[in-house]
Amino acid sequence: MHRDSSWDPLPVRGTAQLTCQFLLTTVYAPVHWVLCTAFTLVYLAFGYVLELISWIPGVESGYMKLADLVYGRILPWWPRWFVSLPELRHEGDVAFYQARVEAKLARWSDNWKYPHTEIPLRGYRAVGAGYVAERASEFGWRLTDGRQQPAAEVKLTRITYVQPTS
């Protein structure tokens, strides 16, 4: 189904690189989260002002596009280069990443409020996006129509409730 190389598992990263990234994450993450929180407070305060001028066409949609841009690309809560301790300890461990993908799919399959979900690269690194696409159908999900970016995340849409098989 997905046979280009972007859907395959990524190569194992070196221990030295991961250790450096983990150390940088532990030092920078608190600063980053304070910046995210401060920006959110400013964003909410600005939202109250925008409520007063919401009668201008396009203001609200522009405000939401700005939020998507800032929180999705410029200032994400967990940047792609961050390395967590489980990632450091289980780099290249296929069984760990399979369990992680299945846990994420099962958790979101039980929650009927949300018809869409994304699984970031850090969730399927050692098994590849192709594995996510294969297992998603067993949990009642399918790939979202449109552009998929398997090197960053896999976007899924709910089909129907399916009891997952073990």
Side-chain angles (χ1 to χ4, degrees):
M1 176 164 122
H2 309 285
R3 287 302 97 199
D4 64 350
S5 62
S6 64
W7 292 86
D8 294 337
L10 293 172
V12 177
R13 298 173 286 186
T15 306
Q17 174 193 356
L18 280 176
T19 304
C20 288
Q21 282 182 287
F22 175 72
L23 292 174
L24 285 172
T25 300
T26 57
V27 170
Y28 176 69
V31 174
H32 181 78
W33 294 330
V34 166
L35 288 173
C36 288
T37 304
F39 181 79
T40 300
L41 294 175
V42 169
Y43 184 76
L44 289 173
F46 190 63
Y48 286 121
V49 173
L50 278 178
E51 279 295 316
L52 299 174
I53 60 170
S54 64
W55 52 272
I56 299 174
V59 170
E60 289 182 24
S61 65
Y63 190 63
M64 295 310 291
K65 287 180 184 177
L66 175 67
D68 289 341
L69 174 71
V70 169
Y71 287 117
R73 294 186 183 165
I74 298 173
L75 199 62
W77 187 254
W78 190 266
R80 288 177 51 186
W81 65 269
F82 275 16
V83 173
S84 65
L85 186 59
E87 289 176 272
L88 179 65
R89 294 176 64 204
H90 297 284
E91 179 67 19
D93 183 2
V94 174
F96 173 77
Y97 281 94
Q98 286 175 340
R100 201 176 214 192
V101 166
E102 291 173 14
K104 174 92 173 171
L105 290 171
R107 182 174 58 244
W108 281 99
S109 295
D110 291 340
N111 192 348
W112 279 88
K113 293 180 187 176
Y114 304 104
H116 305 287
T117 188
E118 294 102 19
I119 299 180
L121 175 65
R122 71 178 17 91
Y124 59 84
R125 183 170 185 80
V127 292
Y131 177 79
V132 176
E134 291 170 10
R135 291 293 292 164
S137 63
E138 297 176 24
F139 285 88
W141 295 90
R142 66 175 167 78
L143 292 174
T144 301
D145 296 335
R147 286 187 26 201
Q148 288 285 340
Q149 298 175 338
E153 66 184 1
V154 174
K155 297 177 182 179
L156 301 171
T157 302
R158 182 184 315 281
I159 301 171
T160 181
Y161 178 75
V162 175
Q163 184 66 25
T165 58
S166 296

